Amino acid sequence: MRQLLLGLIIAVTVVPLAACSEGSPSSSRASAAGAPSVSSTPSAVDAPTLSAEAQAKLAAWFADSRHRQGMQALDHGLRDFKRSVAIAPAAPADYMTIRSACSDLDHDLNIIKDFDPVPDPQSQALWSSAVTNLRQGAADCLTAATANDAAKVTRAKAALLKGDTDYSAVVARLGTVLGVAPTAG
């Protein structure tokens, strides 16, 4: 779902933002007026209207293939992690599956942590919280799965789920700010 949302964000912002790049104040107002409105959004993503320049910066950040691919990799890693901990680990093979998912997620997060800041302060705060919680959860998960410790895996899962909640809020905020109704990931 998030990948679809991310693709929609790009598609919806490219045409209106092209008018902004021409430098005409009237075209910027027309672009902002032409953006679809969002009827209801979670309170975590309520957003003031950004200026055309701020919206263009945010769209450019998101359109950067490194950021887009990183978010797609993060979606994939989180899905794999959730599948791996869907059952209570009991056998060594369970821990190996969890360790593999957490290792992949940890790898992606070590790349993502070096992304440029999101040029929207609220999105950046959510992004920073998401990456911090996800990195801590992934590291704890690796340690716990290596030790075959179900209780520690459960604690690591809580940190990862908090990070996932923050990440979902980032995706929703990007959707709201860029004029696309956010969807649950």
Side-chain angles (χ1 to χ4, degrees), residues 26-127:
S26 63
S27 65
S28 295
R29 283 191 298 274
S31 297
S37 63
V38 176
S39 59
S40 76
T41 58
S43 60
V45 297
D46 287 341
T49 303
L50 295 179
S51 69
E53 180 182 349
Q55 190 175 8
K57 285 179 183 178
L58 186 58
W61 178 89
F62 179 75
D64 179 318
S65 64
R66 179 174 66 121
H67 298 140
R68 190 174 56 252
Q69 289 170 354
M71 292 177 85
Q72 290 169 347
L74 187 53
D75 282 341
H76 179 76
L78 286 168
R79 263 192 318 273
D80 286 352
F81 167 75
K82 288 175 187 176
R83 275 195 299 263
S84 76
V85 295
I87 60 166
D94 297 336
Y95 289 104
M96 190 167 32
T97 300
I98 293 168
R99 187 172 44 250
S100 175
C102 292
S103 177
D104 291 347
L105 187 57
D106 186 60
H107 173 266
D108 292 340
L109 288 162
N110 280 319
I111 294 168
I112 289 169
K113 73 179 174 47
D114 294 327
F115 277 7
D116 300 327
V118 182
D120 168 50
Q122 187 175 351
S123 296
Q124 177 56 37
L126 290 167
W127 178 257

